[in-house]
Amino acid sequence: MATTVRRSTVTLPVAPLGPENPLPALLPLDEAHGPDVLGALTEAERAALPPGMARRTGYAPLRSVLPVRLRDSFGRTRVPGALDTLVLENDRLRATVLPGLGGRIASLHHKPTRRELLYVNPVFQPADFALNGAWFSGGIEWNIGATGHTALSCAPLHAAQVPAPGGDGAMLRLWEWERLRDTPFQVDLWLPDGSDFLYAGVRVRNPHDRAVPVYWWSNIAVPEDEHTRVLAPADASWYFAYERRLRRIPVPAWDGADRTYPLRSEFPGDHFYEVPDGARKWIASLDATGRGLVQTSTDLLRGRKLFVWGSGPGGRRWQRWLTEDGTPGYAEIQAGLATTQLEHVRLEAGGEFAWLEGYGPLAAEPDTVHGADWAAARTHAAERLEEALPRADVDAAFAAWRPHADEDPKGGLLACGSGWGALEVARGGHTLPGTPFEPSAMGPEQTPWAELLRTGLLQD
């Protein structure tokens, strides 16, 4: 079947998100990966950082979420509710997207094996994890802006349908204007005919006459149990936890435990894998049978990370807080523009970052995947990935997608985002092919500023 895009809904227990806080967010940013990470390190730890990592860690840290408003009115009383979805589907995969909640992919179902490849949260329960407050767990989220979960976690994105590369049916485009760094971005999702992999073409643009700091991490929630193992092409990682230290440690074993098994860590923490230059970029989460999800990308998306809640009481409590008792836990495998989430990357005036990601099933020999020989385990997983989705095919798909990234959507919007992009386009006179920010998108929040732009007067 040709790839199709359709509107639908999903019904589940929903906690109220509540309105935005009308008061300006004047307090300094309170975020574990926040602006003073370098200052929290010892002199020896700072000296151990590679020069590029140290430079990017100290570059343009975010100190306030202004002009974004806080989302701190959410509750915990859940009642059945319907969330709008956009469903992208071919004969192999079905991806369910939440356009009103950051464009998150809530589910990725592999039809031939009847397997859900992601951790699907059975409830919608906001918690205070985003830069501006409300965030929820599960699925694949697109993190842009600054270190932490995006301020768009629970915000609507624009969505429309465009032709897919190679004539393989429809492609779903998501786009918005990220206000913390003043950058427009898009995510194009499509399923090549007969493919077991979902492609995501991502572009972040800088339409200004000045450089801007950019941050991007694609966060993928995957099911965890005692047998879950995360594999990546690395023999070392940078470990960062809530004591705010950044240490280079070996992979897989450190401090008496194999840290590639999420539940063998007691406390929450980040493992940023040190992927060698030139190596294929990928990360996989596989179960006791050697099956699970793999993510790969073109080389610009260089970083790979495992986040664990850990097996201790604190992490288990957070898991229950974000979902409900009796449901399985999850870990996160992630991919980003830099080695760690403490870094911002400079995007020059008029420039753009663009890359392609692939998400799909991976099946490997369980005895090898879970064997004591780490080199053999990750080499075997890499070989199975190359069989399932050759690196050359990812590069070719990226090249095929690039001309389509500028193609304007036809047939109207499937979902509406904010009017801030339209206001910025009007103010700056920007031309952004492929991501139209139409004046009609502006609403009551933008009206006074549009009037100021037109008349030079700010009305009472």
Side-chain angles (χ1 to χ4, degrees):
M1 62 179 284
T3 302
T4 60
V5 176
R6 57 184 170 86
R7 286 191 177 99
S8 187
T9 60
V10 60
T11 299
L12 70 166
V14 173
L17 184 58
E20 291 182 329
N21 191 324
L23 300 176
L26 298 179
L27 291 175
L29 184 67
D30 181 18
E31 214 283 322
H33 306 87
D36 298 318
V37 168
L38 283 179
L41 301 182
T42 67
E43 184 176 343
E45 287 169 344
R46 285 195 297 273
L49 298 181
M53 182 188 296
R55 184 172 57 252
R56 290 186 296 269
T57 300
Y59 171 53
L62 188 71
R63 299 187 182 278
S64 169
V65 298
L66 291 173
V68 172
R69 291 183 175 181
L70 298 178
R71 301 299 302 254
D72 55 3
S73 300
F74 50 86
R76 292 198 60 81
T77 301
R78 297 191 289 260
V79 297
L83 301 178
D84 290 332
T85 65
L86 297 171
V87 180
L88 183 71
E89 188 169 13
N90 69 358
D91 58 342
R92 311 286 294 179
L93 284 172
R94 181 172 61 250
T96 302
V97 178
L98 301 172
L101 295 168
R104 187 173 306 203
I105 300 177
S107 167
L108 186 60
H109 179 78
H110 187 235
K111 296 180 181 180
T113 58
R114 300 181 181 180
R115 289 175 64 95
E116 174 58 51
L117 301 180
L118 304 174
Y119 167 75
V120 177
N121 197 332
V123 304
F124 173 70
Q125 178 56 67
D128 187 12
F129 279 98
L131 288 167
N132 63 331
W135 174 87
F136 65 106
S137 65
I140 303 172
E141 58 176 312
W142 317 112
N143 278 299
I144 182 173
T147 54
H149 290 285
T150 177
L152 295 168
S153 293
C154 293
L157 269 55
H158 300 287
Q161 183 173 310
V162 294
D168 291 334
M171 180 164 67
L172 175 62
R173 175 163 300 159
L174 306 163
W175 74 98
E176 188 47 282
W177 195 283
E178 202 287 311
R179 300 180 70 203
L180 296 181
R181 299 305 197 179
D182 214 16
T183 49
F185 71 97
Q186 70 189 80
V187 179
D188 287 355
L189 302 171
W190 79 100
L191 297 165
D193 186 33
S195 175
D196 284 319
F197 281 80
L198 171 70
Y199 284 160
V202 184
R203 177 166 64 166
V204 180
R205 288 190 273 195
N206 177 10
H208 308 294
D209 59 3
R210 65 185 189 281
V212 296
V214 171
Y215 171 92
W216 183 282
W217 281 80
S218 301
N219 289 8
I220 309 135
V222 290
E224 69 168 6
D225 62 26
E226 61 181 323
H227 302 294
T228 301
R229 193 178 204 189
V230 172
L231 299 102
D235 292 313
S237 70
W238 292 89
Y239 176 68
F240 184 82
Y242 285 91
E243 69 269 25
R244 295 168 64 84
R245 296 179 60 197
L246 185 63
R247 289 169 284 177
R248 188 176 184 268
I249 65 173
V251 175
W254 174 66
D255 197 22
D258 187 330
R259 305 296 171 170
T260 61
Y261 290 87
L263 288 179
R264 295 186 188 177
S265 292
E266 183 179 359
F267 303 109
D270 301 327
H271 297 265
F272 299 106
Y273 293 113
E274 197 173 71
V275 179
D277 291 341
R280 185 174 186 179
K281 308 302 186 284
W282 62 273
I283 189 168
S285 174
L286 304 180
D287 65 13
T289 69
R291 294 177 176 270
L293 175 120
V294 64
Q295 186 271 0
T296 188
S297 71
T298 48
D299 287 351
L300 183 67
L301 202 68
R302 60 179 295 180
R304 292 300 185 273
K305 170 193 166 183
L306 165 64
F307 168 75
V308 299
W309 284 111
S311 60
R316 293 302 96 190
R317 181 172 175 80
W318 270 118
Q319 294 261 22
R320 293 193 299 273
W321 185 263
L322 291 166
T323 179
E324 60 184 2
D325 288 338
T327 58
Y330 76 97
E332 287 182 2
I333 57 175
Q334 307 181 15
L337 282 174
T339 302
T340 75
Q341 288 175 329
L342 313 177
E343 305 165 64
H344 298 104
V345 182
R346 182 183 176 93
L347 179 57
E348 299 298 334
E352 66 178 43
F353 291 141
W355 64 90
L356 184 98
E357 303 181 46
Y359 297 85
L362 189 68
E365 293 296 332
D367 290 344
T368 305
V369 165
H370 296 285
D373 188 333
W374 169 247
R378 63 181 180 80
T379 299
H380 174 62
E383 291 170 348
R384 286 296 175 91
L385 169 60
E386 187 65 19
E387 294 170 4
L389 182 63
R391 186 177 186 178
D393 287 3
V394 175
D395 292 336
F398 176 64
W401 166 71
R402 291 297 280 121
H404 290 262
D406 282 343
E407 188 168 345
D408 284 331
K410 304 292 192 299
L413 294 177
L414 295 171
C416 295
S418 78
W420 295 114
L423 182 66
E424 290 296 335
V425 166
R427 184 185 64 85
H430 308 303
T431 301
L432 298 168
T435 54
F437 293 97
E438 301 293 348
S440 58
M442 285 193 273
E445 287 184 295
Q446 294 82 38
T447 298
W449 303 107
E451 187 68 14
L452 173 65
L453 183 63
R454 186 178 68 84
T455 66
L457 299 174
L458 189 60
Q459 301 296 324
D460 291 337

